[in-house]
Amino acid sequence: MRFSDIHGVLVSVIGPKNCLLPFLAPHFCDRYPRERFLIFDEVHRMALVHRPGEAAIIPMDRFRMADPGPEEVYYRSLWKQYYEAIEIRPRHNETCRMTHMPKRYWKYLTEFMATAHIAALPQK
């Protein structure tokens, strides 16, 4: 799962086979007690919404993440560059990649996003 910082709120979209939000809630609420975050389960159409001191799992038919700000775009591009730089191209093995992270989750991962969603590094 990857969080994106969208205007001061950590936001993530997941698509698990099973209904996991009730099991994820204690972990993330304990790990990020002072953060505002939202985890949207698009398969089961519900979201874990947290702000300091309170959390709730609420039904949501759909969710569209706001466009990321320049800082988030920058961090996404850094992560994608890192991921591409560490690959040993002659040893690329798509089957092995899928055993470590099933392909159905790839659409949620920054390193597999199309570059149109990430944008180029800002010029300095």
Side-chain angles (χ1 to χ4, degrees):
M1 186 169 82
R2 304 284 194 263
F3 279 111
S4 293
D5 185 343
I6 306 295
H7 308 295
V9 178
L10 298 177
V11 179
S12 182
V13 178
I14 61 174
K17 285 183 178 179
N18 299 305
C19 184
L20 297 178
L21 281 182
F23 301 104
L24 295 176
H27 168 76
F28 284 103
C29 293
D30 289 344
R31 184 169 175 97
Y32 301 110
R34 295 188 180 134
E35 297 288 339
R36 295 175 358 165
F37 64 82
L38 180 140
I39 302 171
F40 176 65
D41 178 342
E42 69 179 8
V43 173
H44 300 94
R45 298 190 324 235
M46 59 176 62
L48 167 61
V49 181
H50 177 271
R51 62 182 181 189
E54 54 186 311
I57 296 176
I58 59 171
M60 289 179 76
D61 284 334
R62 61 187 168 285
F63 173 75
R64 184 185 173 280
M65 192 179 309
D67 292 333
E71 188 174 17
E72 177 65 24
V73 169
Y74 177 72
Y75 284 115
R76 286 181 183 185
S77 64
L78 285 177
W79 179 252
K80 188 163 178 84
Q81 284 180 1
Y82 168 75
Y83 182 81
E84 290 171 358
I86 64 168
E87 179 183 25
I88 302 168
R89 296 210 189 270
R91 296 185 67 196
H92 180 82
N93 184 336
E94 202 69 15
T95 305
C96 181
R97 179 189 273 185
M98 285 186 275
T99 61
H100 291 287
M101 178 59 68
K103 199 166 187 172
R104 64 188 172 93
Y105 296 124
W106 289 10
K107 69 180 181 176
Y108 305 108
L109 302 176
T110 306
E111 55 267 34
F112 296 117
M113 285 182 182
T115 53
H117 294 293
I118 294 183
L121 282 171
Q123 299 298 320
K124 293 195 179 203

